[in-house]
Amino acid sequence: MALRPQSTVSFGNANRQLLVAPTDLRAADPLEAENLVSWRFALAGETLDTAGRPPFSMEMPSADFACLLAGFSWLRHLRALRGEEANNFARTVTLNFLRRNGRCKGPAWQNAVAVERLSAWLSHSTVILKGADAAFYRRFVAAILRHEQVLRRRYPTMPHDETRLKAAIALAMASISMDLSDHRKQQAARRLDEALSKQILADGGHIARNPQTLLDLLFQLLPLRQTYINLDIALPRQLVPAIDRIYAALAFFRHRDGNLALFNGAGPVLATTLSALQRYDETGGSGFRALPHTGFQRLDAGGTVLIVDAGNPLSTHLSKAAHAGALSFEMSSGTSRFIVNSGRPLHPDAATIAMARSTPAHSAATIDDASSMRFSRSEFLGPVAAGGIRRVEVERSETDDGDTLLMRHDGYLARFGLMTERRLALSADGRVIAGRDSFRRRRDEMPAATNRHQAIIRFHLHPSIWVMHEDADTIFMTAPDNESWLFSAPGLAPELEEDVFFAASAGMAASRQIVITAPIGEHPDVEWRLERLS
């Protein structure tokens, strides 16, 4: 694999020097760059026009905006401009930040923000430093060393989550991008190895169970790998194996249209973002049929793909961002996604996040439309899982006729006394999906025949799918390329209802959903079927 050549930074003489500027693989947008040098900052769905005044001296539109501004990842867009204007602008804003946030406290110094800023400053140091004098160079290098020191001291107490892993990556990058001691380099490599071994599971998934997290990590791990190679420094032992596993897991989560499945906080991903990473995939694009450690299953035959959430949060802390989507699935056929989860908006508010995390926002079965996980409202604990699913069980069988998944969870057991079970079977030719959602008192007991609660089963449709009723029990679905399927639920009269797709790239989009409502006492087993039309 060969990334673009690293850029050598050669300014002044200081106690420490910047040796390289790691490559940022994310695309630079010339229009965003023009807005920036015109002092218009568009972040978190909001805009701040400073009219030439330093932005960190002004009131921020929102807390999310302030964090994104202080993260400096927007610097990458300035690569699209040539000339001194972009360099002077980058230096002015950086100096404004250093003057206003020198005490290492406050929102701008939250771990996640400080990690993002350190990575951005290292990657875009050439943009900031081109044309700088020796005094600014020394101050900038000192700021990078301060970030490295602060994050290194905080690191042992960071929770085991994505921010901790990104901190380990940033610290490793800082150790080789600057002329730090061999001891510091080795210490950073060991720290990274430990974080990768704990957070990138054996099947390539991340402990947060969010497919989009894998993308974010690759954008940092790939330049780190190439920087080690370019400087002829021994790579951390876990770095290359972790990258290979992540690529395999990403292939697992991709539908045939190239988009990622929407589980546990995944939102819109631009096609250019995925393609920017695919060119560095050395695994040959091979994926897995299951991610047993992460808790997902995939059925794939004849151009039809089912991706199924068959797991639950791996720790209480990690449940802060988890979605109540156990046993939910997404289905694509040909080059189109048909059945999806609602996903996460690009810039959500608190109410939208809560809605997107609930079970009704997933293509799953519910009881009385309740969520299978309940989330805490405690300011101290944060929105962690406070009840619901404790256990998810999975059985998979494969025959010449096709593959079958039988899954169950106990998310409604404490509240309603019922286990939820879902059976999905995909025929060998990919033309038929047979589904059944069942509600039982316990795993091995009879169905809840006297139960008075309602089963409400939702199938969220991608906004590109056109639907209509064929008859009372049958719904016709067709994609823009004329790929068409019939959904049927004999005797259950499935309804078509209005819906919202949170994860549209241009913002939330109107869509439709298929909804089956059935009294559990009368229908403890709800059977439905999807069949591709010729």
Side-chain angles (χ1 to χ4, degrees):
M1 180 191 82
L3 303 180
R4 294 197 302 271
Q6 307 293 304
S7 302
T8 300
V9 184
S10 55
F11 292 87
N13 293 312
N15 292 332
R16 293 294 181 193
Q17 300 243 351
L18 275 169
L19 303 177
V20 296
T23 302
D24 188 341
L25 298 177
R26 293 183 184 272
D29 186 339
L31 294 179
E32 287 290 341
E34 292 290 348
N35 280 329
L36 287 169
V37 297
S38 298
W39 297 93
R40 288 190 298 273
F41 297 83
L43 304 166
E46 299 178 279
T47 301
L48 175 65
D49 191 336
T50 73
R53 289 172 291 174
F56 293 102
S57 304
M58 304 184 67
E59 183 177 351
M60 297 289 110
S62 68
D64 288 344
F65 183 101
C67 288
L68 287 175
L69 182 66
F72 278 83
S73 63
W74 47 265
L75 279 172
R76 73 178 183 273
H77 298 303
L78 298 180
R79 301 196 321 259
L81 298 182
R82 297 185 181 275
E84 296 181 359
E85 185 179 22
N87 307 118
N88 292 335
F89 171 82
R91 267 195 304 282
T92 300
V93 178
T94 302
L95 190 59
N96 177 229
F97 175 85
L98 294 176
R99 287 172 175 165
R100 304 286 297 192
N101 296 277
R103 300 182 62 186
C104 304
K105 295 181 179 179
W109 279 92
Q110 296 175 75
N111 289 336
V113 180
V115 166
E116 184 177 7
R117 185 167 55 251
L118 175 58
S119 297
W121 279 358
L122 289 170
S123 295
H124 304 294
S125 55
T126 48
V127 175
I128 297 171
L129 292 174
K130 186 176 181 181
D133 57 26
F136 181 88
Y137 174 75
R138 287 192 294 268
R139 184 165 186 175
F140 182 68
V141 169
I144 288 181
L145 288 170
R146 186 74 178 277
H147 279 70
E148 191 271 348
Q149 182 185 58
V150 168
L151 291 172
R152 182 161 41 85
R153 289 179 176 176
R154 291 180 181 178
Y155 184 83
T157 60
M158 290 183 185
H160 286 281
D161 57 15
E162 180 184 355
T163 297
R164 182 184 176 103
L165 177 51
K166 287 184 175 180
I169 297 170
L171 289 169
M173 185 66 84
S175 76
I176 61 175
S177 296
M178 303 190 68
D179 58 341
L180 299 186
S181 67
D182 289 342
H183 171 72
R184 192 73 63 81
K185 290 180 174 66
Q186 293 163 6
Q187 184 185 54
R190 289 194 298 269
R191 185 187 297 116
L192 179 61
D193 278 338
E194 179 190 29
L196 288 171
S197 64
K198 288 185 177 180
Q199 295 205 29
I200 305 303
L201 302 172
D203 54 24
H206 182 256
I207 55 175
R209 306 186 68 245
N210 180 344
Q212 200 166 349
T213 298
L214 300 175
L215 280 181
D216 295 338
L217 291 173
L218 277 181
F219 274 114
Q220 290 187 294
L221 291 171
L222 290 171
L224 178 63
R225 176 177 68 175
Q226 195 60 35
T227 305
Y228 271 105
I229 292 171
N230 289 352
L231 295 173
D232 197 22
I233 301 174
L235 278 73
R237 288 178 296 177
Q238 295 293 329
L239 181 54
V240 173
I243 289 172
D244 290 345
R245 295 201 309 276
I246 289 173
Y247 266 119
L250 271 179
F252 173 95
F253 282 118
R254 291 189 73 182
H255 286 288
R256 291 191 177 274
D257 68 349
N259 285 282
L260 290 180
L262 300 171
F263 295 103
N264 289 299
V269 176
L270 296 176
T272 54
T273 301
L274 282 168
S275 61
L277 294 176
Q278 280 183 288
R279 70 186 71 174
Y280 306 115
D281 182 2
E282 297 178 349
T283 66
S286 59
F288 303 122
R289 290 182 301 172
L291 302 183
H293 300 86
T294 313
F296 289 92
Q297 296 284 330
R298 179 183 176 108
L299 303 179
D300 191 337
T304 302
V305 171
L306 295 175
I307 305 174
V308 189
D309 186 341
N312 57 329
L314 300 181
S315 74
T316 300
H317 173 72
L318 292 170
S319 72
K320 283 185 177 181
H323 285 207
L327 311 195
S328 68
F329 76 98
E330 295 198 346
M331 185 273 277
S332 61
S333 177
T335 58
S336 298
R337 286 180 288 171
F338 279 76
I339 295 173
V340 294
N341 294 316
S342 296
R344 177 188 172 98
L346 192 59
H347 305 298
D349 55 30
T352 306
I353 290 176
M355 190 184 305
R357 296 179 73 190
S358 69
T359 307
H362 297 76
S363 293
T366 68
I367 298 177
D368 292 347
D369 234 6
S371 195
S372 59
M373 289 171 58
R374 297 188 299 279
F375 299 106
S376 168
R377 297 182 180 179
S378 165
E379 293 185 6
F380 176 72
L381 294 174
V384 299
I389 295 175
R390 293 180 177 272
R391 184 177 179 84
V392 179
E393 299 173 349
V394 184
E395 300 172 18
R396 181 169 183 151
S397 60
E398 300 175 0
T399 68
D400 292 341
D401 295 327
D403 296 350
T404 301
L405 286 173
L406 184 62
M407 306 163 291
R408 59 185 68 86
H409 73 67
D410 59 357
Y412 297 112
L413 187 60
R415 203 177 339 174
F416 301 115
L418 296 173
M419 295 287 291
T420 303
E421 181 179 279
R422 167 163 276 182
R423 181 183 184 274
L424 295 173
L426 177 63
S427 64
D429 60 6
R431 300 184 65 85
V432 176
I433 301 167
R436 185 189 69 210
D437 290 297
S438 302
F439 305 89
R440 285 168 165 72
R441 296 191 187 94
R442 294 281 181 181
R443 173 179 173 178
D444 298 320
E445 289 185 5
M446 295 294 292
T450 60
N451 198 283
R452 298 180 180 179
H453 297 288
Q454 295 254 341
I456 302 176
I457 307 166
R458 299 181 183 274
F459 305 83
H460 297 274
L461 304 178
H462 191 271
S464 66
I465 301 303
W466 186 83
V467 290
M468 63 170 285
H469 271 287
E470 286 272 313
D471 56 45
D473 294 331
T474 308
I475 292 172
F476 172 79
M477 307 183 296
T478 188
D481 62 357
N482 292 324
E483 181 88 357
S484 300
W485 286 72
L486 285 180
F487 177 95
S488 59
L492 294 170
E495 295 290 336
L496 279 173
E497 298 183 2
E498 299 300 314
D499 198 9
V500 175
F501 182 60
F502 292 135
S505 57
M508 293 186 287
S511 59
R512 308 292 296 278
Q513 59 179 316
I514 300 170
V515 182
I516 297 175
T517 303
I520 292 177
E522 298 175 21
H523 299 278
D525 295 296
V526 177
E527 296 190 351
W528 46 269
R529 179 183 175 93
L530 284 157
E531 186 171 358
R532 182 194 291 150
L533 299 178
S534 299

